[in-house]
Amino acid sequence: MLAVSDRQLEIIESAGRILNASGVSGLTIKNLAKEMQFSESAIYRHFASKEEIILVLLNYLSESMDERLGRAVQDIHDPEEKFKALFRNQFEFFRLHPHFVVAVFSDGLLEESQLINNAILKIMQVKMKHLLPVMMEGQQRGVFTNAITTEELMHIVMGSFRLQMFKWRIANFEFDIARSGENLIQSLLTLIRVK
């Protein structure tokens, strides 16, 4: 697991809040220092640059997600229950840490650097690493439809999750993401389950 000190975690959480509120252009060391009531030099003691802050944020998220999602399904044998556990875990994480929703909508970060692009790609790969085997197992066991390919199912499911998180973000996190997430899980299962 990526070694992140408590202070660095505070900084990347503040950076996530700024990214959600103001986008990449709003994330400056000056704004970050102001948000945290630190001096700019205090931020620089922990991170060399804005890019490093974003990279640590994204890498922290992908590693913690990998660990969380692995634990979420380790004792579950039914593909449908695994599917529910993966998404419930994600919705609960973001409910507790809404400032990290920026990782789901990292479009504005894409122009920043190739290193950041690679970190965003890593987050998507972690999601697929955990979801793909569940979808494949569900199709092989006749639980999920084989009418469309596993890859197409993944696009539908991941796109639906992303849209739900987008709606929550533009509503300024004001509705219950766990409840609406549960509704989404049930709706997706109704679509992909073999009738």
Side-chain angles (χ1 to χ4, degrees), residues 47-154:
F47 294 101
S49 66
K50 169 177 146 175
E51 180 187 47
E52 185 183 3
I53 293 168
I54 294 170
L55 283 170
V56 170
L57 182 151
L58 294 171
N59 288 323
Y60 173 81
L61 280 171
S62 67
E63 289 188 23
S64 67
M65 182 192 309
D66 196 17
E67 190 178 294
R68 274 187 302 102
L69 296 182
R71 275 196 321 265
V73 297
Q74 70 186 6
D75 297 324
I76 302 173
H77 302 291
D78 177 61
E80 192 171 313
E81 291 305 313
K82 284 182 188 177
F83 181 91
K84 291 178 192 174
L86 287 177
F87 282 96
R88 285 176 180 152
N89 186 287
Q90 285 289 81
F91 285 122
E92 181 61 13
F93 174 81
F94 286 117
R95 185 185 70 77
L96 295 172
H97 308 280
H99 44 276
F100 283 145
V101 167
V102 69
V104 181
F105 306 103
S106 28
D107 316 40
L109 301 176
L110 289 172
E111 298 82 44
E112 288 296 298
S113 78
Q114 191 55 50
L115 287 173
I116 290 174
N117 289 353
N118 292 343
I120 291 167
L121 184 61
K122 185 177 169 190
I123 288 175
M124 293 189 330
Q125 288 168 337
V126 167
K127 287 178 191 170
M128 291 179 1
K129 168 187 167 183
H130 292 278
L131 186 57
L132 185 64
V134 171
M135 303 304 285
M136 289 175 74
E137 180 187 5
Q139 286 182 307
Q140 288 163 358
R141 290 173 59 179
V143 176
F144 300 151
T145 183
N146 281 299
I148 57 175
T149 67
T150 309
E151 189 175 322
E152 289 165 337
L153 274 181
M154 293 275 293

